[in-house]
Amino acid sequence: VILDEGRDKVTISLTGPADAWFGVGFGAQAMKERPWTIVVDGNGKVTERKLADHASGDPLAPSLEVSSNEVVGDRRTVTVYRSLKGAHFTFHANVTEIPFINAIGNTPEIAYHTQKEPSTLLMMPVSSPSDKHGLCLCQREPPPFGKGKGTLEYVPVQGQKGEAGVSGKAPWG
């Protein structure tokens, strides 16, 4: 995902299997949050949807322009773009983390996913003519043993034998 605030443009590149559907939903960690979702079917057709809880949801009017759709070997890469502001999801240049869900099917048409995963996209600045430095990801000394801090997050897998947990985050350290 590349945000260009000056041009009011977001460019999104998605890679998945060449012969099966794959998709990504922005601003959510679960289908029930009804994210704006981009789906690429096994023939390369790009559609947008508003997902539903454990369902493919509703098709949306197109807001994306496809700039490339290439198959190399068994992988398809599709690059699309649109305005930062959308009817169902808006990208903000000052937001550093974007939650998302992604999924892959095993058929050309959208159907139940065979793989799925919630995650978070970390947005980092790049250098520009006025700022030649961008963001420095510098190595530093790790904290002493037992002094680390962070968050543990559990994401249950629906239908997994023995699954009894619920989603949740807990600070540690």
Side-chain angles (χ1 to χ4, degrees):
V1 174
I2 299 171
L3 304 181
D4 186 338
E5 194 172 26
R7 292 186 177 141
D8 184 32
K9 182 179 177 181
V10 58
T11 303
I12 304 165
S13 291
L14 304 153
T15 299
D19 60 352
W21 72 269
F22 57 95
V24 61
F26 291 94
Q29 295 283 278
M31 292 174 70
K32 67 183 175 185
E33 295 175 60
R34 298 191 44 85
W36 169 70
T37 303
I38 303 168
V39 176
V40 180
D41 74 15
N43 300 308
K45 181 180 177 187
V46 177
T47 58
E48 300 171 59
R49 306 186 78 77
K50 190 78 163 172
L51 294 184
D53 190 11
H54 300 291
S56 61
D58 303 314
L60 299 172
S63 67
L64 298 168
E65 295 289 332
V66 177
S67 61
S68 67
N69 188 333
E70 300 176 352
V71 174
V72 176
D74 62 350
R75 311 293 289 165
R76 178 184 305 277
T77 299
V78 174
T79 301
V80 297
Y81 65 92
R82 60 156 242 209
S83 173
L84 294 171
K85 184 174 180 163
H88 303 283
F89 186 80
T90 297
F91 291 91
H92 298 280
N94 62 344
V95 172
T96 58
E97 294 183 358
I98 301 173
F100 71 95
I101 58 175
N102 58 23
I104 297 173
N106 63 359
T107 61
E109 302 80 27
I110 188 169
Y112 190 77
H113 44 66
T114 57
Q115 297 178 46
K116 65 178 176 75
E117 189 73 32
S119 194
T120 302
L121 183 64
L122 178 61
M123 302 297 292
M124 295 183 273
V126 296
S127 61
S128 66
S130 62
D131 172 23
K132 299 194 185 317
H133 303 292
L135 176 69
C136 177
L137 297 176
C138 305
Q139 185 175 358
R140 62 182 176 100
E141 289 294 317
F145 183 78
K147 300 293 182 182
K149 295 183 188 264
T151 302
L152 297 174
E153 182 174 357
Y154 176 74
V155 179
V157 179
Q158 296 291 331
Q160 181 173 318
K161 185 177 180 180
E163 179 65 69
V166 294
S167 295
K169 291 183 180 183
W172 63 274

